[in-house]
């Protein structure tokens, strides 16, 4: 992801800055997705593992990145409180 784009992106709800998911964070999210335990904020099941993602600086919300394009839609976000093994 382009560093300049990352510098200007923020959560559309909280306006909190975002950063790229670390490898341990991405692995934890994808393990939960494969187990069928992940839902979006809107309640839809997440069935496809993330290739990459952005997380808010407070670590509460994840936004997926599809084909190097951040999907910054509030309803498509994944709350981390549902992930029991999500590293801070």
């Amino acid at each position: 992801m382009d560093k300049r784009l990352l510098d200007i992106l923020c959560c559309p709800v909280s306006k909190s800055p975002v950063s790229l998911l670390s490898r341990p964070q991405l692995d934890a999210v994808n393990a939960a997705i494969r187990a069928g335990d992940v839902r979006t904020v809107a309640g839809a099941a997440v069935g496809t593992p993330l290739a990459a993602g952005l997380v808010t600086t407070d670590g509460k919300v994840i936004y997926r990145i599809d084909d190097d394009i951040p999907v910054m839609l509030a309803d498509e976000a994944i709350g981390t409180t549902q992930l029991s093994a999500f590293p801070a």
Side-chain angles (χ1 to χ4, degrees):
M1 166 158 288
D2 186 323
K3 172 80 168 108
R4 293 173 298 180
L5 178 59
L6 189 58
D7 288 343
I8 62 172
L9 286 176
C10 66
C11 174
V13 177
S14 69
K15 306 303 183 217
S16 175
V18 294
S19 60
L20 287 171
L21 283 173
S22 67
R23 176 52 56 187
Q25 290 172 325
L26 185 61
D27 290 344
V29 172
N30 285 335
I33 290 172
R34 283 190 293 278
D37 297 335
V38 179
R39 298 203 167 273
T40 65
V41 171
V46 178
T48 307
L50 279 63
L54 299 170
V55 63
T56 55
T57 54
D58 61 8
K60 293 183 180 178
V61 182
I62 297 170
Y63 294 94
R64 75 173 39 248
I65 298 174
D66 291 334
D67 298 322
D68 287 332
I69 301 169
V71 181
M72 304 296 291
L73 301 171
D75 287 347
E76 297 292 320
I78 298 170
T80 60
T81 56
Q82 66 186 311
L83 308 171
S84 60
F86 188 72

